[in-house]
Each structure stands twice: as structure tokens, then as C-alpha cells.
Amino acid sequence: MNQSAKLIWAVVCLLAFTTDPGQAASERAKKPAAKTAKTAKKPAQEFVFFPSEPAPPRLQFLMSFQCENDLGGGAGKFVTFLTGKEPPKKPILKPYGVAASQGRFYVCDTAARTIAITELDSRKIVNFTPSGGGKLRVPVNVAVDEEGTLYVADTGRNQVLVFDRDQQYQGAIGEMDEMKPTDVAIFKNRLYLTDLKNNCLRVYDKTNRTELFRVPKDPKDPKAKLFSPTNLAVDSQGKIYASDLGASRVQVYDSEGNHLRTLGQMGDRPGEFARPKGIAVDREGRIYVVDAAAQVVQIFDVDGRLLLYFGEADKNNPVAFDLPAKVVVDYQNVRLFQKYAAPNFKLEYLVIVTNQLGDRKVSVFGFGQKKS
């Protein structure tokens, strides 16, 4: 992103968030340093917020991890004693998709051909690498339902693989090479997936796995058309959101696949996209969209107005993204991350972003507000 574009983004986002939430710069708030008996000061702890002043902070960077060590799992005191540092334990090599359930993150590691199940309470990573009929080839995205059933979109097999809560293989959706599923989502008794081969979304009955319909309903309608749908999300109303990489935009449909509107267009200005990928929607209808080229996540309100962006490809920035892929909103694990929040900043939900490169493979942010 060039300097003039960055300036435009910053000004537009500041104007947006001074009326509601929103701008694209970080604020660093320092926690008062504690004193020892000798009055020596400890290094000040820094907190990174979005947007910057004068707008009230709404999003805080909490932590990131790329291996079990970063969670506090560690490699053992003996190994650390011998080497002087902890070697990476169960590293995540190249993540794309991520899903959250109570006490767990499920991270698709496309390079290791595994699902890195992150146990948040015990701070451990368990690699799920099934064999036999459920063998993973290129797991790019994953969804988990309330019963703990896993649905894995695998572009190596060109199928969606289904595993029960005990991680036993239950079968696959789609015949070999019938489609190319790159994302999967669940809403009530429906299963949604992107089909990059046929440039559409497919909607299934989750119970019997029969196909119900495809989106868009009229593929010849230029306003509704999908060119290269890579990621999708479903909101609390059942509306469907699809990142269309081929058209550099987001398409929005109702619960039955009828086109409602288009969000964004190709470009590097605020509200535009170069390579839109992961997409998520919170309970208030705010839309999160990853742009892998600009290396930011943009947040839009329910009417499609840009609120703020965060990220950027700046190696010196402690929260910079490095080829971001997926964004997920998580309400279930807030209590486990409140300890990372700044004093008086109350978390409402988590925003999880995966990075395919760099040393911050999974970044966790918290959306909230300062307590009065």
C-alpha cells in the first residue's frame, strides 16, 4: 500500500470512528510500572489499541502464537537448561482456516496436513492427523458445530470431510473432483461451502448432507455473479457473505440465496479490496474482511460503511500481519483471554486472524470497550 493510500485510509477511518467506532491506527497505552523495595521500575507493559485517540478504543491486540511454547506449554526445563532457549514445540507451519469452540481453537495447517487443536485451558496443541478414509491432504478451512462435529474443507481431496466429536471419520461431502471446496460454515441445520471449481456456494442439509440449492440463484445475473468465491460467513439472520477473490468484492445474499448487495470493489483505498479472503460477521452485524494483499482486516458496519482497519505489513509493528488468510469472531472463549486485556478494558468477543507467514501464525484481538 503506497503512502498516499495509507494517508487516505487513516483520514477516512478517523472520520468514521469519531461518529461510531473506527480508524486504522494503533494506540499504545502504558500500564503503571510496579516498584520493588528498592524502588526499581519494571519495564512498562504496552497495550495496542484500535482506533487511536481521540476515538474511544474498541479493539485490542491480546496475544499471538505459532507453537505450544507461546501458549505456556513449553519444552521442559532440562532442554531449556542445555540449549539456553526453548525449541519450538508443535509449531504451526502454514495456517489458513481456524474455528473456535468452548476451550479450543482448530487451526488448519496446510503445510503439515493436520488440524492443530489448541487446548486453551491446558495450553497444549494436539495435532489431529487422521489416516485411512479420513486422511487429510490440504485442509484449508474447518467448521465445528454444537455437537463437536468437525467439517474440514480439503482442496487436496476436493471434498468436505466429516468427523464426529471423537474425531472418527464419518464420510465426505462431494465426489472426488466434483468441486473445489475452500471454506465451510454452519448455521442451524444448514451446511454452507464455497465451490471454487464451479464459482458458486453450495448449501446442504446438515443432517442428511443432501444439497438444497446453490448460490447465486441466477448465475447469469451480473450483480449476483461469483467469479472466484474463496471464503464465506453466515450471520445471525441467516444472510450469506462471500469473499469473491476474482472480482475483489464481497457478495451478500439472503438465507435463500437471493442477492442483496455488493460490498467493495478492486482498489487500495478505504473500503476497497485487492485480495479479499477470510470473512466474519459479529452479532451486531459488523463485517470483518481480510485483504491478503493490503495485509489488513477491514471492519464495516451493518450498512457496509467502513469503520476501521487494522494490521498492515510492517515488520516493526508488533501486531503486523504476514499474509493474513482467515478471520473468525469468537464469543465462547472471552474469559480465557480477559487476562491479556488492559485494565478497565472489558472484552465482548475475540477476533482471531491467521497469518500464513511470519512468527505470529495466530493473532488474537479483543473487541470491547473501556469500563466507566
Side-chain angles (χ1 to χ4, degrees):
M1 186 184 297
N2 58 44
Q3 293 299 318
S4 61
K6 288 182 180 180
L7 179 60
I8 294 172
W9 278 63
V11 172
V12 171
C13 290
L14 177 59
L15 292 174
F17 227 17
T18 50
T19 56
D20 195 3
Q23 174 201 350
S26 63
E27 171 194 4
R28 298 168 186 260
K30 292 191 175 182
K31 182 180 179 181
K35 296 183 178 181
T36 65
K38 296 181 181 181
T39 68
K41 294 183 178 180
K42 295 181 180 179
Q45 182 177 352
E46 292 188 343
F47 301 104
V48 182
F49 289 103
F50 303 88
S52 62
E53 294 180 336
R58 297 306 307 272
L59 190 75
Q60 182 194 335
F61 170 72
L62 301 176
M63 60 90 72
S64 64
F65 65 92
Q66 66 169 336
C67 61
E68 197 171 85
N69 311 56
D70 297 332
L71 299 169
K77 294 182 179 179
F78 182 68
V79 174
T80 305
F81 172 75
L82 292 177
T83 64
K85 63 179 181 179
E86 289 186 296
K89 184 178 181 182
K90 297 182 180 177
I92 298 172
L93 304 180
K94 191 175 183 180
Y96 194 105
V98 62
S101 68
Q102 188 67 49
R104 285 180 171 178
F105 291 165
Y106 299 83
V107 184
C108 291
D109 190 337
T110 58
R113 300 184 180 186
T114 190
I115 306 294
I117 302 176
T118 307
E119 302 283 357
L120 300 175
D121 281 307
S122 61
R123 295 175 293 178
K124 300 291 184 182
I125 292 177
V126 179
N127 286 321
F128 173 49
T129 311
S131 58
K135 185 176 181 179
L136 302 174
R137 293 184 183 176
V138 187
V140 293
N141 263 304
V142 60
V144 56
D145 67 15
E146 294 179 349
E147 289 76 39
T149 302
L150 287 178
Y151 299 85
V152 182
D154 190 314
T155 54
R157 294 181 51 151
N158 288 331
Q159 295 175 307
V160 172
L161 310 183
V162 184
F163 302 88
D164 66 18
R165 64 180 303 160
D166 297 317
Q167 299 171 7
Q168 298 300 307
Y169 180 58
Q170 299 299 304
I173 298 173
E175 299 297 327
M176 193 74 73
D177 296 327
E178 172 191 353
M179 57 185 172
K180 188 172 184 177
T182 55
D183 201 0
V184 58
I186 298 166
F187 179 69
K188 295 184 177 178
N189 198 42
R190 285 182 173 180
L191 180 73
Y192 305 78
L193 59 88
T194 55
D195 181 357
L196 196 56
K197 181 177 181 179
N198 298 290
N199 297 324
C200 68
L201 310 180
R202 297 180 182 229
V203 183
Y204 292 79
D205 182 290
K206 187 166 72 77
T207 302
N208 56 32
R209 303 177 201 161
T210 58
E211 185 173 337
L212 300 176
F213 58 89
R214 298 185 186 185
V215 180
K217 283 293 186 69
D218 181 3
K220 295 182 180 180
D221 180 355
K223 292 183 179 180
K225 186 176 178 63
L226 289 167
F227 290 86
S228 299
T230 56
N231 292 86
L232 63 84
V234 184
D235 70 12
S236 59
Q237 308 286 312
K239 288 187 292 187
I240 308 164
Y241 302 75
S243 291
D244 191 347
L245 184 65
S248 298
R249 63 188 183 184
V250 170
Q251 294 283 54
V252 186
Y253 307 90
D254 68 16
S255 60
E256 298 305 312
N258 299 299
H259 184 256
L260 295 176
R261 59 190 173 97
T262 298
L263 182 65
Q265 62 183 8
M266 179 178 287
D268 64 357
R269 298 168 71 89
E272 298 176 339
F273 307 109
R275 291 182 62 81
K277 289 196 172 181
I279 186 167
V281 186
D282 70 15
R283 291 174 181 171
E284 302 302 316
R286 287 179 286 255
I287 307 160
Y288 291 73
V289 185
V290 171
D291 192 320
Q295 307 213 82
V296 299
V297 175
Q298 298 189 64
I299 308 178
F300 301 84
D301 69 12
V302 68
D303 296 315
R305 293 185 295 250
L306 179 67
L307 297 176
L308 70 89
Y309 75 89
F310 60 100
E312 283 201 81
D314 180 358
K315 300 292 185 182
N316 297 318
N317 188 325
V319 299
F321 295 142
D322 202 343
L323 199 59
K326 182 77 171 184
V327 59
V328 167
V329 170
D330 173 25
Y331 288 86
Q332 301 184 70
N333 295 298
V334 172
R335 68 171 183 84
L336 297 173
F337 287 87
Q338 184 63 53
K339 63 184 178 183
Y340 296 102
N344 298 320
F345 190 73
K346 180 68 173 177
L347 302 182
E348 297 173 19
Y349 57 84
L350 306 178
V351 180
I352 310 162
V353 181
T354 59
N355 296 279
Q356 294 188 282
L357 302 177
D359 58 3
R360 293 183 288 271
K361 294 301 198 313
V362 181
S363 295
V364 184
F365 298 79
F367 190 94
Q369 56 187 321
K370 283 189 174 181
K371 294 183 289 187
S372 57

